[in-house]
Amino acid sequence: MVDAAVLTFGRLDVLVNSAERYTDRMAGEEDAERISECIDVNLRAPILATWVFARYLRESAIDGVVVNVTAMAGLLPGRGREVYGAAKAGLIHFTEASKALSPRIRHENERLLPGHRLGAVLLAMSSRQVVASVIRCIEDPRMAGQTLLVNGSSSYSHSWATLLSHIQMVFIVLWGLLIQMDAAAAAAVVVGKDISKGLSVDSYEPKAMTRAEFQLLPRKQQKRIMKQELWDNRADEFKEKQRQKNRDTRRRRKERIREGEAPPRRKPEDQTRTAHRFVIDMDFDDKMDDREIKSMCSQVQRCYAANRQAAHYVGLHVTRLHGQCRRRFDTALAQHAGWSSEHIVLEDKEYPDLFPAEHLVYLTADSPNVIESLDATKVYVIGGIVDKNRYPRLTLDKAEQQGIQHAQLPIGRYVQMSTRKVMTVNQIFEMLLRFIDVNDWKTAFLDVIPARKLENEEEE
């Protein structure tokens, strides 16, 4: 199961055990085969699946989440559901006990309440709400080992179990009313303020769902829904503001170009090719999430644009383009098919298959070596990853395993950084292009590094 999922999607982060084998026979009326089947599906299968998933996480050195969907039968015994309830109770115990088994795996438990209604259908939950509850278990680390009560559609014949479920529903209704009262008070505070600035999720009234449904979602998802609905309501206004902002930016840039303060963005007429070669290593697809994949692909776009506009352009190769990055280039960035092969080459192969090992130099901030200049006979490799310090020594370890040279740029010798020396891929590439133009590291760094990353010091 795990192997098939990894083969299809590249990695596995979440396991949801929701399979169920229901039986309503009384004890003594079920045969041994039905009892075994009920226990196997409801208890044994989730335990084994979790065991296999946990082993995969340990071997892959990544974190994961397990969500077990159980039932109130595991808490409230009912006549005719002895075996089913015992299996569900075992799954609840397994979930709560597994919280401390491994630091790399987080267990959450979702119990389905019986579907008895209290007066009007106030808390009847749809399948969408059940899915939202599972997503909440996945996204919220505070739910580790906890139980989330969700109203389902099953019923109980045992009278005291039914009464207890009704009492639970009363408490949930009262809790929901208190939340609505707090939201109304909060809404009164922000009256008259700008809706895009003063409104919070505590006072927001969603358009696509009820207030009760909205409150069940994780706070992060609530903010996302609120921003999306605000955008839908004021899209034309926002778009017009953005268009005006873009017009002002273009006007200011034209003025700077006219006054000689900024170079034109079009391809220089006297552009020449240098002997320098650079590689963007895209072998880290499995170590980035969707947002980071999007950012990394955009950085490759910027590298191509910078090389195309440079007075002295270089040989730029993007290697090991595969997985999610390849799919993004083939869909959202399909225009890359028209890119000039003189300014960029996209490769499926690894760089050791394209260049001699003795010519390769991996640029990494973790290297103890510092380069003084750029050797036109070398091929400089830039790690194509948005890591945010999650993978220390990742590129250095790769270079050492491959037996190739490694070094870092002399940033610390020429400028003082207010943050870490790790830059985006396009910033590193633009620094290298700028150094080829001016043959001065300090000028190259100051022209590319954002001002916010530089310490404000007086000139000596």
Side-chain angles (χ1 to χ4, degrees):
M1 176 186 68
V2 171
D3 292 340
V6 173
L7 183 62
T8 303
F9 302 104
R11 63 181 288 166
L12 189 59
D13 298 288
V14 179
L15 171 65
V16 179
N17 290 315
S18 61
E20 179 177 279
R21 176 64 171 90
Y22 177 73
T23 177
D24 57 356
R25 299 281 189 91
M26 291 189 61
E29 296 179 354
E30 296 179 340
D31 55 36
E33 183 177 354
R34 287 175 60 87
I35 291 175
S36 298
E37 182 178 338
C38 180
I39 295 175
D40 286 345
V41 174
N42 295 313
L43 181 59
R44 187 169 180 268
I47 292 176
L48 292 178
T50 302
W51 177 78
V52 174
F53 182 59
R55 185 177 62 180
Y56 162 74
L57 294 178
R58 286 193 297 270
E59 294 174 351
S60 303
I62 61 176
D63 295 339
V65 180
V66 175
V67 178
N68 292 324
V69 179
T70 71
M72 283 297 292
L75 294 178
L76 304 177
R79 184 181 180 186
R81 302 176 184 180
E82 298 86 351
V83 177
Y84 174 75
K88 290 298 183 181
L91 185 55
I92 293 172
H93 177 80
F94 171 73
T95 302
E96 296 175 352
S98 297
K99 177 182 178 181
L101 288 182
S102 172
R104 289 198 171 277
I105 189 167
R106 194 176 81 240
H107 290 74
E108 278 90 14
N109 192 31
E110 182 184 21
R111 297 174 185 159
L112 303 181
L113 284 174
H116 300 294
R117 307 293 185 258
L118 180 60
V121 187
L122 296 177
L123 297 176
M125 292 201 174
S126 63
S127 58
R128 182 181 64 180
Q129 291 170 291
V130 175
V131 172
S133 300
V134 173
I135 294 175
R136 177 184 175 186
C137 288
I138 295 171
E139 292 184 339
D140 192 350
R142 296 172 298 179
M143 292 298 297
Q146 302 299 315
T147 297
L148 180 64
L149 300 178
V150 181
N151 181 37
S153 58
S154 59
S155 62
Y156 284 81
S157 58
H158 217 239
S159 58
W160 72 267
T162 301
L163 177 62
L164 181 57
S165 68
H166 280 176
I167 294 174
Q168 292 172 325
M169 297 293 281
V170 169
F171 278 109
I172 294 175
V173 171
L174 293 176
W175 176 73
L177 291 176
L178 289 175
I179 290 178
Q180 291 181 355
M181 291 173 62
D182 291 341
V189 176
V190 299
V191 170
K193 292 185 177 180
D194 190 322
I195 190 172
S196 64
K197 296 181 179 179
L199 191 61
S200 68
V201 293
D202 297 325
S203 59
Y204 184 68
E205 291 294 335
K207 305 296 187 299
M209 61 183 69
T210 65
R211 178 67 183 174
E213 293 174 339
F214 186 71
Q215 285 293 328
L216 290 173
L217 301 176
R219 193 171 184 84
K220 184 176 180 181
Q221 190 171 353
Q222 290 176 355
K223 292 181 180 179
R224 190 182 304 119
I225 292 175
M226 182 183 72
K227 290 180 180 179
Q228 183 61 46
E229 290 186 349
L230 288 175
W231 167 257
D232 293 339
N233 293 336
R234 304 179 61 179
D236 293 339
E237 178 183 347
F238 289 147
K239 289 179 180 178
E240 179 56 33
K241 287 182 178 179
Q242 187 61 44
R243 283 193 290 266
Q244 183 59 44
K245 183 178 179 181
N246 293 339
R247 286 193 290 266
D248 293 341
T249 300
R250 288 193 295 268
R251 176 181 54 78
R252 288 193 297 267
R253 178 164 181 82
K254 287 180 180 179
E255 293 176 355
R256 293 183 63 202
I257 293 175
R258 189 163 50 248
E259 294 173 2
E261 297 179 359
R265 290 184 175 177
R266 61 180 178 272
K267 179 180 176 181
E269 295 180 358
D270 56 346
Q271 188 181 45
T272 58
R273 170 78 179 257
T274 72
H276 295 87
R277 292 167 294 174
F278 298 97
V279 168
I280 300 177
D281 177 18
M282 301 289 285
D283 191 31
F284 310 105
D285 189 275
D286 60 333
K287 292 179 172 56
M288 295 183 285
D289 58 28
D290 292 341
R291 181 177 298 181
E292 292 165 345
I293 290 290
K294 183 177 179 181
S295 174
M296 187 63 250
C297 293
S298 297
Q299 292 178 37
V300 173
Q301 279 186 297
R302 294 189 183 99
C303 291
Y304 169 71
N307 200 31
R308 186 171 174 81
Q309 296 160 11
H312 304 91
Y313 70 98
V314 300
L316 177 59
H317 297 260
V318 178
T319 62
R320 194 71 175 98
L321 186 61
H322 70 295
Q324 299 179 75
C325 288
R326 166 58 76 178
R327 286 193 291 271
R328 180 161 180 80
F329 268 94
D330 291 341
T331 53
L333 305 179
Q335 69 271 19
H336 79 275
W339 288 359
S340 168
S341 59
E342 291 186 8
H343 299 89
I344 194 169
V345 178
L346 305 182
E347 303 275 5
D348 295 328
K349 298 179 180 180
E350 276 268 35
Y351 50 85
D353 299 328
L354 303 172
F355 306 101
E358 61 271 17
H359 292 174
L360 293 169
V361 179
Y362 213 118
L363 297 178
T364 169
D366 297 316
S367 175
N369 308 318
V370 180
I371 61 175
E372 301 293 340
S373 61
L374 295 179
D375 186 346
T377 65
K378 301 293 185 182
V379 179
Y380 295 94
V381 183
I382 306 171
I385 182 173
V386 180
D387 64 354
K388 300 179 180 177
N389 281 339
R390 288 180 315 214
Y391 305 104
R393 290 181 53 91
L394 177 67
T395 51
L396 178 61
D397 289 343
K398 181 175 181 179
E400 290 178 344
Q401 291 172 3
Q402 293 178 333
I404 64 176
Q405 301 176 64
H406 50 78
Q408 62 170 294
L409 297 181
I411 296 177
R413 294 183 181 178
Y414 296 94
V415 296
Q416 296 299 319
M417 303 285 292
S418 59
T419 60
R420 60 196 183 107
K421 291 186 291 184
V422 179
M423 302 290 177
T424 62
V425 170
N426 59 289
Q427 288 172 344
I428 294 295
F429 182 69
E430 289 171 17
M431 290 177 193
L432 297 170
L433 285 178
R434 187 61 177 150
F435 177 79
I436 293 173
D437 284 341
V438 300
N439 196 31
D440 181 79
W441 283 118
K442 186 172 184 178
T443 301
F445 296 148
L446 292 178
D447 286 352
V448 176
I449 298 176
R452 67 180 184 276
K453 289 191 175 185
L454 298 175
E455 289 186 356
N456 294 322
E457 296 184 347
E458 295 182 358
E459 295 284 337
E460 293 186 357

